[in-house]
Amino acid sequence: MMFWYDHGVGGWGWFAMSAGMIVFWVLIITLAVLLFRALNRPQEHTHTHTPATPSAEDILGERLARGEIDEDEYRRRRNVLHAGPLTKR
């Protein structure tokens, strides 16, 4: 029973041990929460979502819908698009 009441730890020692234990558990809980959030995050950062550029035919259809071109011009331009690249003469 030599060290029953005194292990060389005074009042400040008990306070330091209590504060250290609280800090330890706060760090453990914080790390667990951060790990949980990181694992459950949607993978949006791995793939960049670039808006798809509309095709020439989509733009042509929009112009027809807005009334900028008539149906005959729409068909003529669409046929040119489907004919392929123009060759130089």
PDB file of all heavy atoms in Angstrom, residues 32-62:
ATOM      1  N   ALA A  32     -13.411  10.017 -37.173  1.00  0.00           N
ATOM      2  CA  ALA A  32     -14.443   9.074 -37.601  1.00  0.00           C
ATOM      3  C   ALA A  32     -15.502   9.769 -38.457  1.00  0.00           C
ATOM      4  O   ALA A  32     -15.925   9.242 -39.491  1.00  0.00           O
ATOM      5  CB  ALA A  32     -15.088   8.417 -36.383  1.00  0.00           C
ATOM      6  N   VAL A  33     -15.921  10.968 -38.059  1.00  0.00           N
ATOM      7  CA  VAL A  33     -16.921  11.716 -38.824  1.00  0.00           C
ATOM      8  C   VAL A  33     -16.361  12.102 -40.194  1.00  0.00           C
ATOM      9  O   VAL A  33     -17.041  11.969 -41.222  1.00  0.00           O
ATOM     10  CB  VAL A  33     -17.393  12.960 -38.035  1.00  0.00           C
ATOM     11  CG1 VAL A  33     -18.192  13.898 -38.910  1.00  0.00           C
ATOM     12  CG2 VAL A  33     -18.208  12.539 -36.823  1.00  0.00           C
ATOM     13  N   LEU A  34     -15.114  12.587 -40.235  1.00  0.00           N
ATOM     14  CA  LEU A  34     -14.514  12.968 -41.518  1.00  0.00           C
ATOM     15  C   LEU A  34     -14.356  11.760 -42.442  1.00  0.00           C
ATOM     16  O   LEU A  34     -14.594  11.860 -43.649  1.00  0.00           O
ATOM     17  CB  LEU A  34     -13.164  13.642 -41.283  1.00  0.00           C
ATOM     18  CG  LEU A  34     -13.221  15.023 -40.637  1.00  0.00           C
ATOM     19  CD1 LEU A  34     -11.814  15.530 -40.363  1.00  0.00           C
ATOM     20  CD2 LEU A  34     -13.980  16.006 -41.502  1.00  0.00           C
ATOM     21  N   LEU A  35     -13.984  10.635 -41.890  1.00  0.00           N
ATOM     22  CA  LEU A  35     -13.862   9.419 -42.694  1.00  0.00           C
ATOM     23  C   LEU A  35     -15.223   8.974 -43.226  1.00  0.00           C
ATOM     24  O   LEU A  35     -15.354   8.610 -44.394  1.00  0.00           O
ATOM     25  CB  LEU A  35     -13.226   8.306 -41.864  1.00  0.00           C
ATOM     26  CG  LEU A  35     -12.999   6.981 -42.571  1.00  0.00           C
ATOM     27  CD1 LEU A  35     -11.989   7.158 -43.703  1.00  0.00           C
ATOM     28  CD2 LEU A  35     -12.512   5.940 -41.589  1.00  0.00           C
ATOM     29  N   PHE A  36     -16.241   9.038 -42.386  1.00  0.00           N
ATOM     30  CA  PHE A  36     -17.591   8.673 -42.799  1.00  0.00           C
ATOM     31  C   PHE A  36     -18.077   9.580 -43.929  1.00  0.00           C
ATOM     32  O   PHE A  36     -18.637   9.113 -44.920  1.00  0.00           O
ATOM     33  CB  PHE A  36     -18.534   8.757 -41.606  1.00  0.00           C
ATOM     34  CG  PHE A  36     -19.956   8.430 -41.924  1.00  0.00           C
ATOM     35  CD1 PHE A  36     -20.350   7.122 -42.115  1.00  0.00           C
ATOM     36  CD2 PHE A  36     -20.914   9.434 -42.050  1.00  0.00           C
ATOM     37  CE1 PHE A  36     -21.663   6.813 -42.424  1.00  0.00           C
ATOM     38  CE2 PHE A  36     -22.224   9.140 -42.352  1.00  0.00           C
ATOM     39  CZ  PHE A  36     -22.593   7.828 -42.535  1.00  0.00           C
ATOM     40  N   ARG A  37     -17.841  10.879 -43.788  1.00  0.00           N
ATOM     41  CA  ARG A  37     -18.260  11.818 -44.840  1.00  0.00           C
ATOM     42  C   ARG A  37     -17.502  11.590 -46.135  1.00  0.00           C
ATOM     43  O   ARG A  37     -18.063  11.688 -47.222  1.00  0.00           O
ATOM     44  CB  ARG A  37     -18.056  13.259 -44.375  1.00  0.00           C
ATOM     45  CG  ARG A  37     -19.069  13.720 -43.388  1.00  0.00           C
ATOM     46  CD  ARG A  37     -18.851  15.174 -43.080  1.00  0.00           C
ATOM     47  NE  ARG A  37     -19.810  15.668 -42.099  1.00  0.00           N
ATOM     48  CZ  ARG A  37     -19.806  16.901 -41.633  1.00  0.00           C
ATOM     49  NH1 ARG A  37     -18.891  17.751 -42.033  1.00  0.00           N
ATOM     50  NH2 ARG A  37     -20.701  17.265 -40.758  1.00  0.00           N
ATOM     51  N   ALA A  38     -16.214  11.315 -46.033  1.00  0.00           N
ATOM     52  CA  ALA A  38     -15.408  11.105 -47.241  1.00  0.00           C
ATOM     53  C   ALA A  38     -15.852   9.848 -47.988  1.00  0.00           C
ATOM     54  O   ALA A  38     -15.861   9.821 -49.218  1.00  0.00           O
ATOM     55  CB  ALA A  38     -13.933  11.009 -46.869  1.00  0.00           C
ATOM     56  N   LEU A  39     -16.223   8.809 -47.248  1.00  0.00           N
ATOM     57  CA  LEU A  39     -16.638   7.569 -47.906  1.00  0.00           C
ATOM     58  C   LEU A  39     -18.044   7.653 -48.477  1.00  0.00           C
ATOM     59  O   LEU A  39     -18.366   6.934 -49.418  1.00  0.00           O
ATOM     60  CB  LEU A  39     -16.541   6.406 -46.927  1.00  0.00           C
ATOM     61  CG  LEU A  39     -15.128   6.042 -46.487  1.00  0.00           C
ATOM     62  CD1 LEU A  39     -15.165   4.938 -45.445  1.00  0.00           C
ATOM     63  CD2 LEU A  39     -14.285   5.636 -47.679  1.00  0.00           C
ATOM     64  N   ASN A  40     -18.893   8.509 -47.935  1.00  0.00           N
ATOM     65  CA  ASN A  40     -20.270   8.612 -48.408  1.00  0.00           C
ATOM     66  C   ASN A  40     -20.491   9.759 -49.380  1.00  0.00           C
ATOM     67  O   ASN A  40     -21.603  10.000 -49.798  1.00  0.00           O
ATOM     68  CB  ASN A  40     -21.229   8.765 -47.223  1.00  0.00           C
ATOM     69  CG  ASN A  40     -21.390   7.465 -46.490  1.00  0.00           C
ATOM     70  OD1 ASN A  40     -21.243   6.407 -47.074  1.00  0.00           O
ATOM     71  ND2 ASN A  40     -21.688   7.551 -45.209  1.00  0.00           N
ATOM     72  N   ARG A  41     -19.440  10.469 -49.735  1.00  0.00           N
ATOM     73  CA  ARG A  41     -19.568  11.586 -50.668  1.00  0.00           C
ATOM     74  C   ARG A  41     -19.775  11.061 -52.073  1.00  0.00           C
ATOM     75  O   ARG A  41     -19.109  10.128 -52.499  1.00  0.00           O
ATOM     76  CB  ARG A  41     -18.296  12.435 -50.629  1.00  0.00           C
ATOM     77  CG  ARG A  41     -18.369  13.628 -51.566  1.00  0.00           C
ATOM     78  CD  ARG A  41     -17.124  14.452 -51.511  1.00  0.00           C
ATOM     79  NE  ARG A  41     -16.913  14.908 -50.150  1.00  0.00           N
ATOM     80  CZ  ARG A  41     -15.736  15.192 -49.646  1.00  0.00           C
ATOM     81  NH1 ARG A  41     -14.660  15.051 -50.393  1.00  0.00           N
ATOM     82  NH2 ARG A  41     -15.609  15.619 -48.421  1.00  0.00           N
ATOM     83  N   PRO A  42     -20.705  11.663 -52.818  1.00  0.00           N
ATOM     84  CA  PRO A  42     -20.863  11.233 -54.214  1.00  0.00           C
ATOM     85  C   PRO A  42     -19.586  11.546 -54.995  1.00  0.00           C
ATOM     86  O   PRO A  42     -18.888  12.503 -54.706  1.00  0.00           O
ATOM     87  CB  PRO A  42     -22.057  12.047 -54.724  1.00  0.00           C
ATOM     88  CG  PRO A  42     -22.261  13.127 -53.738  1.00  0.00           C
ATOM     89  CD  PRO A  42     -21.630  12.703 -52.448  1.00  0.00           C
ATOM     90  N   GLN A  43     -19.302  10.723 -55.960  1.00  0.00           N
ATOM     91  CA  GLN A  43     -18.055  10.848 -56.699  1.00  0.00           C
ATOM     92  C   GLN A  43     -18.152  11.900 -57.793  1.00  0.00           C
ATOM     93  O   GLN A  43     -17.881  11.640 -58.948  1.00  0.00           O
ATOM     94  CB  GLN A  43     -17.687   9.487 -57.291  1.00  0.00           C
ATOM     95  CG  GLN A  43     -17.498   8.402 -56.280  1.00  0.00           C
ATOM     96  CD  GLN A  43     -16.357   8.697 -55.325  1.00  0.00           C
ATOM     97  OE1 GLN A  43     -15.362   9.278 -55.721  1.00  0.00           O
ATOM     98  NE2 GLN A  43     -16.504   8.307 -54.074  1.00  0.00           N
ATOM     99  N   GLU A  44     -18.526  13.107 -57.438  1.00  0.00           N
ATOM    100  CA  GLU A  44     -18.671  14.161 -58.440  1.00  0.00           C
ATOM    101  C   GLU A  44     -17.349  14.802 -58.799  1.00  0.00           C
ATOM    102  O   GLU A  44     -17.229  15.442 -59.834  1.00  0.00           O
ATOM    103  CB  GLU A  44     -19.631  15.233 -57.937  1.00  0.00           C
ATOM    104  CG  GLU A  44     -19.161  15.946 -56.687  1.00  0.00           C
ATOM    105  CD  GLU A  44     -20.225  16.815 -56.078  1.00  0.00           C
ATOM    106  OE1 GLU A  44     -21.366  16.389 -56.026  1.00  0.00           O
ATOM    107  OE2 GLU A  44     -19.873  17.922 -55.667  1.00  0.00           O
ATOM    108  N   HIS A  45     -16.330  14.633 -57.961  1.00  0.00           N
ATOM    109  CA  HIS A  45     -15.056  15.271 -58.236  1.00  0.00           C
ATOM    110  C   HIS A  45     -14.200  14.458 -59.197  1.00  0.00           C
ATOM    111  O   HIS A  45     -13.275  14.993 -59.777  1.00  0.00           O
ATOM    112  CB  HIS A  45     -14.288  15.493 -56.934  1.00  0.00           C
ATOM    113  CG  HIS A  45     -14.983  16.443 -56.004  1.00  0.00           C
ATOM    114  ND1 HIS A  45     -15.083  17.786 -56.277  1.00  0.00           N
ATOM    115  CD2 HIS A  45     -15.618  16.253 -54.840  1.00  0.00           C
ATOM    116  CE1 HIS A  45     -15.746  18.373 -55.310  1.00  0.00           C
ATOM    117  NE2 HIS A  45     -16.092  17.464 -54.424  1.00  0.00           N
ATOM    118  N   THR A  46     -14.500  13.205 -59.364  1.00  0.00           N
ATOM    119  CA  THR A  46     -13.689  12.394 -60.246  1.00  0.00           C
ATOM    120  C   THR A  46     -14.052  12.619 -61.708  1.00  0.00           C
ATOM    121  O   THR A  46     -13.214  12.510 -62.572  1.00  0.00           O
ATOM    122  CB  THR A  46     -13.828  10.906 -59.906  1.00  0.00           C
ATOM    123  OG1 THR A  46     -15.196  10.524 -60.012  1.00  0.00           O
ATOM    124  CG2 THR A  46     -13.309  10.630 -58.503  1.00  0.00           C
ATOM    125  N   HIS A  47     -15.296  12.946 -61.976  1.00  0.00           N
ATOM    126  CA  HIS A  47     -15.743  13.183 -63.343  1.00  0.00           C
ATOM    127  C   HIS A  47     -16.272  14.605 -63.436  1.00  0.00           C
ATOM    128  O   HIS A  47     -17.214  14.958 -62.755  1.00  0.00           O
ATOM    129  CB  HIS A  47     -16.855  12.216 -63.748  1.00  0.00           C
ATOM    130  CG  HIS A  47     -16.474  10.778 -63.594  1.00  0.00           C
ATOM    131  ND1 HIS A  47     -15.549  10.175 -64.389  1.00  0.00           N
ATOM    132  CD2 HIS A  47     -16.883   9.835 -62.722  1.00  0.00           C
ATOM    133  CE1 HIS A  47     -15.417   8.918 -64.022  1.00  0.00           C
ATOM    134  NE2 HIS A  47     -16.209   8.685 -63.001  1.00  0.00           N
ATOM    135  N   THR A  48     -15.652  15.381 -64.294  1.00  0.00           N
ATOM    136  CA  THR A  48     -16.154  16.731 -64.466  1.00  0.00           C
ATOM    137  C   THR A  48     -17.327  16.693 -65.421  1.00  0.00           C
ATOM    138  O   THR A  48     -17.279  16.055 -66.474  1.00  0.00           O
ATOM    139  CB  THR A  48     -15.059  17.663 -65.010  1.00  0.00           C
ATOM    140  OG1 THR A  48     -14.564  17.121 -66.242  1.00  0.00           O
ATOM    141  CG2 THR A  48     -13.921  17.802 -64.014  1.00  0.00           C
ATOM    142  N   HIS A  49     -18.375  17.350 -65.045  1.00  0.00           N
ATOM    143  CA  HIS A  49     -19.579  17.384 -65.865  1.00  0.00           C
ATOM    144  C   HIS A  49     -19.538  18.642 -66.724  1.00  0.00           C
ATOM    145  O   HIS A  49     -19.826  19.729 -66.263  1.00  0.00           O
ATOM    146  CB  HIS A  49     -20.834  17.389 -64.999  1.00  0.00           C
ATOM    147  CG  HIS A  49     -20.977  16.156 -64.178  1.00  0.00           C
ATOM    148  ND1 HIS A  49     -21.279  14.933 -64.726  1.00  0.00           N
ATOM    149  CD2 HIS A  49     -20.842  15.933 -62.853  1.00  0.00           C
ATOM    150  CE1 HIS A  49     -21.332  14.025 -63.780  1.00  0.00           C
ATOM    151  NE2 HIS A  49     -21.061  14.601 -62.632  1.00  0.00           N
ATOM    152  N   THR A  50     -19.159  18.469 -67.967  1.00  0.00           N
ATOM    153  CA  THR A  50     -19.163  19.590 -68.888  1.00  0.00           C
ATOM    154  C   THR A  50     -20.472  19.543 -69.653  1.00  0.00           C
ATOM    155  O   THR A  50     -20.905  18.472 -70.092  1.00  0.00           O
ATOM    156  CB  THR A  50     -17.985  19.521 -69.871  1.00  0.00           C
ATOM    157  OG1 THR A  50     -18.021  18.270 -70.537  1.00  0.00           O
ATOM    158  CG2 THR A  50     -16.657  19.665 -69.131  1.00  0.00           C
ATOM    159  N   PRO A  51     -21.101  20.684 -69.777  1.00  0.00           N
ATOM    160  CA  PRO A  51     -22.359  20.672 -70.525  1.00  0.00           C
ATOM    161  C   PRO A  51     -22.103  20.292 -71.978  1.00  0.00           C
ATOM    162  O   PRO A  51     -21.153  20.748 -72.598  1.00  0.00           O
ATOM    163  CB  PRO A  51     -22.875  22.101 -70.406  1.00  0.00           C
ATOM    164  CG  PRO A  51     -21.708  22.920 -69.984  1.00  0.00           C
ATOM    165  CD  PRO A  51     -20.743  21.987 -69.303  1.00  0.00           C
ATOM    166  N   ALA A  52     -22.951  19.431 -72.477  1.00  0.00           N
ATOM    167  CA  ALA A  52     -22.799  18.970 -73.850  1.00  0.00           C
ATOM    168  C   ALA A  52     -23.134  20.105 -74.805  1.00  0.00           C
ATOM    169  O   ALA A  52     -24.134  20.800 -74.645  1.00  0.00           O
ATOM    170  CB  ALA A  52     -23.716  17.781 -74.110  1.00  0.00           C
ATOM    171  N   THR A  53     -22.274  20.305 -75.786  1.00  0.00           N
ATOM    172  CA  THR A  53     -22.544  21.337 -76.779  1.00  0.00           C
ATOM    173  C   THR A  53     -23.574  20.803 -77.757  1.00  0.00           C
ATOM    174  O   THR A  53     -23.511  19.637 -78.168  1.00  0.00           O
ATOM    175  CB  THR A  53     -21.259  21.718 -77.529  1.00  0.00           C
ATOM    176  OG1 THR A  53     -20.700  20.546 -78.102  1.00  0.00           O
ATOM    177  CG2 THR A  53     -20.240  22.345 -76.588  1.00  0.00           C
ATOM    178  N   PRO A  54     -24.525  21.624 -78.104  1.00  0.00           N
ATOM    179  CA  PRO A  54     -25.561  21.142 -79.030  1.00  0.00           C
ATOM    180  C   PRO A  54     -24.967  20.905 -80.412  1.00  0.00           C
ATOM    181  O   PRO A  54     -24.064  21.601 -80.857  1.00  0.00           O
ATOM    182  CB  PRO A  54     -26.580  22.283 -79.048  1.00  0.00           C
ATOM    183  CG  PRO A  54     -25.854  23.486 -78.570  1.00  0.00           C
ATOM    184  CD  PRO A  54     -24.748  22.996 -77.684  1.00  0.00           C
ATOM    185  N   SER A  55     -25.486  19.908 -81.071  1.00  0.00           N
ATOM    186  CA  SER A  55     -25.014  19.604 -82.423  1.00  0.00           C
ATOM    187  C   SER A  55     -25.578  20.640 -83.391  1.00  0.00           C
ATOM    188  O   SER A  55     -26.488  21.409 -83.067  1.00  0.00           O
ATOM    189  CB  SER A  55     -25.457  18.202 -82.823  1.00  0.00           C
ATOM    190  OG  SER A  55     -26.868  18.168 -82.955  1.00  0.00           O
ATOM    191  N   ALA A  56     -25.037  20.633 -84.576  1.00  0.00           N
ATOM    192  CA  ALA A  56     -25.503  21.570 -85.595  1.00  0.00           C
ATOM    193  C   ALA A  56     -26.975  21.329 -85.923  1.00  0.00           C
ATOM    194  O   ALA A  56     -27.747  22.273 -86.138  1.00  0.00           O
ATOM    195  CB  ALA A  56     -24.648  21.438 -86.849  1.00  0.00           C
ATOM    196  N   GLU A  57     -27.368  20.065 -85.923  1.00  0.00           N
ATOM    197  CA  GLU A  57     -28.772  19.748 -86.209  1.00  0.00           C
ATOM    198  C   GLU A  57     -29.689  20.225 -85.081  1.00  0.00           C
ATOM    199  O   GLU A  57     -30.810  20.673 -85.331  1.00  0.00           O
ATOM    200  CB  GLU A  57     -28.932  18.245 -86.448  1.00  0.00           C
ATOM    201  CG  GLU A  57     -30.259  17.905 -87.074  1.00  0.00           C
ATOM    202  CD  GLU A  57     -30.283  16.497 -87.633  1.00  0.00           C
ATOM    203  OE1 GLU A  57     -29.227  15.846 -87.715  1.00  0.00           O
ATOM    204  OE2 GLU A  57     -31.383  16.059 -87.983  1.00  0.00           O
ATOM    205  N   ASP A  58     -29.211  20.149 -83.830  1.00  0.00           N
ATOM    206  CA  ASP A  58     -29.997  20.666 -82.703  1.00  0.00           C
ATOM    207  C   ASP A  58     -30.199  22.177 -82.822  1.00  0.00           C
ATOM    208  O   ASP A  58     -31.295  22.694 -82.596  1.00  0.00           O
ATOM    209  CB  ASP A  58     -29.308  20.351 -81.373  1.00  0.00           C
ATOM    210  CG  ASP A  58     -29.301  18.866 -81.062  1.00  0.00           C
ATOM    211  OD1 ASP A  58     -30.166  18.138 -81.607  1.00  0.00           O
ATOM    212  OD2 ASP A  58     -28.431  18.435 -80.273  1.00  0.00           O
ATOM    213  N   ILE A  59     -29.122  22.868 -83.185  1.00  0.00           N
ATOM    214  CA  ILE A  59     -29.224  24.325 -83.352  1.00  0.00           C
ATOM    215  C   ILE A  59     -30.173  24.659 -84.483  1.00  0.00           C
ATOM    216  O   ILE A  59     -30.987  25.591 -84.383  1.00  0.00           O
ATOM    217  CB  ILE A  59     -27.825  24.927 -83.600  1.00  0.00           C
ATOM    218  CG1 ILE A  59     -26.951  24.746 -82.353  1.00  0.00           C
ATOM    219  CG2 ILE A  59     -27.915  26.400 -83.977  1.00  0.00           C
ATOM    220  CD1 ILE A  59     -25.504  25.120 -82.554  1.00  0.00           C
ATOM    221  N   LEU A  60     -30.094  23.896 -85.555  1.00  0.00           N
ATOM    222  CA  LEU A  60     -30.983  24.119 -86.693  1.00  0.00           C
ATOM    223  C   LEU A  60     -32.440  23.908 -86.291  1.00  0.00           C
ATOM    224  O   LEU A  60     -33.318  24.701 -86.648  1.00  0.00           O
ATOM    225  CB  LEU A  60     -30.588  23.165 -87.822  1.00  0.00           C
ATOM    226  CG  LEU A  60     -31.076  23.472 -89.229  1.00  0.00           C
ATOM    227  CD1 LEU A  60     -30.623  24.846 -89.669  1.00  0.00           C
ATOM    228  CD2 LEU A  60     -30.569  22.421 -90.186  1.00  0.00           C
ATOM    229  N   GLY A  61     -32.698  22.860 -85.494  1.00  0.00           N
ATOM    230  CA  GLY A  61     -34.056  22.611 -85.008  1.00  0.00           C
ATOM    231  C   GLY A  61     -34.552  23.725 -84.096  1.00  0.00           C
ATOM    232  O   GLY A  61     -35.728  24.112 -84.143  1.00  0.00           O
ATOM    233  N   GLU A  62     -33.662  24.258 -83.263  1.00  0.00           N
ATOM    234  CA  GLU A  62     -34.048  25.377 -82.398  1.00  0.00           C
ATOM    235  C   GLU A  62     -34.390  26.618 -83.215  1.00  0.00           C
ATOM    236  O   GLU A  62     -35.338  27.343 -82.901  1.00  0.00           O
ATOM    237  CB  GLU A  62     -32.922  25.685 -81.417  1.00  0.00           C
ATOM    238  CG  GLU A  62     -32.727  24.634 -80.353  1.00  0.00           C
ATOM    239  CD  GLU A  62     -31.503  24.906 -79.504  1.00  0.00           C
ATOM    240  OE1 GLU A  62     -30.867  25.973 -79.645  1.00  0.00           O
ATOM    241  OE2 GLU A  62     -31.182  24.028 -78.673  1.00  0.00           O
TER     242      GLU A  62
END
